[in-house]
Amino acid sequence: EAGVAQSPRYKIIEKRQSVAFWCNPISGHATLYWYQQILGQGPKLLIQFQNNGVVDDSQLPKDRFSAERLKGVDSTLKIQPAKLEDSAVYLCASRPGTGAGGETQYFGPGTRLLVL
Amino acid sequence: AQTVTQSQPEMSVQEAETVTLSCTYDTSESDYYLFWYKQPPSRQMILVIRQEAYKQQNATENRFSVNFQKAAKSFSLKISDSQLGDAAMYFCAYRTYNNNDMRFGAGTRLTVKP
């Protein structure tokens, strides 16, 4: 079974530029999460999707961050415009949601963003 | 709000020895899940072990086991017969049954000495 895929793996941009990250969850996983992991900290939830609907985006800085999961499969996370403090690893995770072990989240390799 | 605290920023263990990583959490819920995730350097986060709060029996996965003390809100991870490949950041995480928001601790960096 293929894992959660993310691209790009690394991105360097200048402040005020835009950037987009892509995530392909494990096949059949209805729930998808985007996390921000700042160096030296644990991941912090940005947004959660259930199929193509948003379940929780309370910690998403909506003035600059946006995310979508139009067909309930792949998802994109965008930052526009980026700030220095957005430098972090952006993790995508997915969860089956049903059955034994359905509560476990499976993580992708992350996209490491550096804003200069 | 639920919080997860890992009081040990760094730990080290000699290869083949046993090490215990600490985690405490704060919650008013009675039903929830607890997890330990491992994040090797520049590699993706993987699940090590999970525990359902309603289960009194401590979870075990091969060399990994937990000491779950619900009343004390403590969830420590014991790694037996430590191997070089166990070196990583370890994150303790918490999630209620109904709230999808997973809360992570700040992590413990484990070094394994040969």
Side-chain angles (χ1 to χ4, degrees):
Chain A
E1 177 180 76
V4 177
Q6 290 187 249
S7 68
R9 292 295 310 277
Y10 305 92
K11 190 74 176 179
I12 300 175
I13 61 172
E14 296 189 350
K15 61 182 179 183
R16 291 188 288 274
Q17 285 187 322
S18 301
V19 65
F21 312 130
W22 173 82
C23 172
N24 185 10
I26 293 173
S27 177
H29 283 196
T31 309
L32 184 147
Y33 306 82
W34 282 103
Y35 289 89
Q36 181 191 59
Q37 186 179 18
I38 293 174
L39 186 64
Q41 299 180 17
K44 184 188 82 170
L45 180 70
L46 292 175
I47 190 168
Q48 179 194 343
F49 292 94
Q50 181 73 19
N51 296 310
N52 61 348
V54 175
V55 174
D56 183 358
D57 64 356
S58 58
Q59 298 185 83
L60 187 73
K62 298 180 186 66
D63 58 332
R64 298 185 300 104
F65 286 65
S66 64
E68 60 184 13
R69 193 185 184 198
L70 292 176
K71 296 183 179 179
V73 181
D74 294 5
S75 177
T76 56
L77 176 70
K78 297 180 182 178
I79 307 175
Q80 180 180 10
K83 292 185 176 181
L84 297 177
E85 58 262 35
D86 298 332
S87 294
V89 176
Y90 291 85
L91 297 170
C92 180
S94 69
R95 179 169 71 91
T98 59
E103 72 284 354
T104 299
Q105 295 185 21
Y106 297 85
F107 286 82
T111 295
R112 189 176 300 272
L113 174 68
L114 178 61
V115 182
L116 302 176
Chain B
Q2 296 89 7
T3 59
V4 179
T5 302
Q6 294 180 249
S7 59
Q8 306 152 318
E10 296 184 1
M11 291 283 284
S12 68
V13 62
Q14 205 71 32
E15 194 176 6
E17 297 288 302
T18 295
V19 64
T20 299
L21 308 184
S22 301
C23 173
T24 58
Y25 56 95
D26 181 28
T27 183
S28 58
E29 302 288 335
S30 58
D31 294 326
Y32 48 87
Y33 299 103
L34 294 164
F35 306 84
W36 277 99
Y37 278 90
K38 170 185 176 181
Q39 189 176 42
S42 301
R43 296 180 63 184
Q44 66 196 85
M45 194 173 302
I46 57 174
L47 178 70
V48 174
I49 198 165
R50 71 170 180 266
Q51 174 87 38
E52 289 94 336
Y54 72 88
K55 291 185 178 179
Q56 294 185 347
Q57 186 174 7
N58 290 322
T60 62
E61 286 288 343
N62 301 313
R63 297 182 296 108
F64 299 88
S65 61
V66 299
N67 183 5
F68 173 47
Q69 301 291 328
K70 191 172 184 179
K73 297 178 183 176
S74 171
F75 183 61
S76 61
L77 174 70
K78 185 172 81 171
I79 306 174
S80 304
D81 185 25
S82 297
Q83 301 176 359
L84 295 178
D86 295 334
M89 283 290 289
Y90 286 82
F91 292 97
C92 178
Y94 161 99
R95 186 175 77 82
T96 64
Y97 279 13
N98 297 322
N99 184 344
N100 293 294
D101 184 4
M102 184 114 90
R103 301 282 174 159
F104 287 84
T108 297
R109 182 176 303 279
L110 178 66
T111 302
V112 181
K113 299 178 181 179

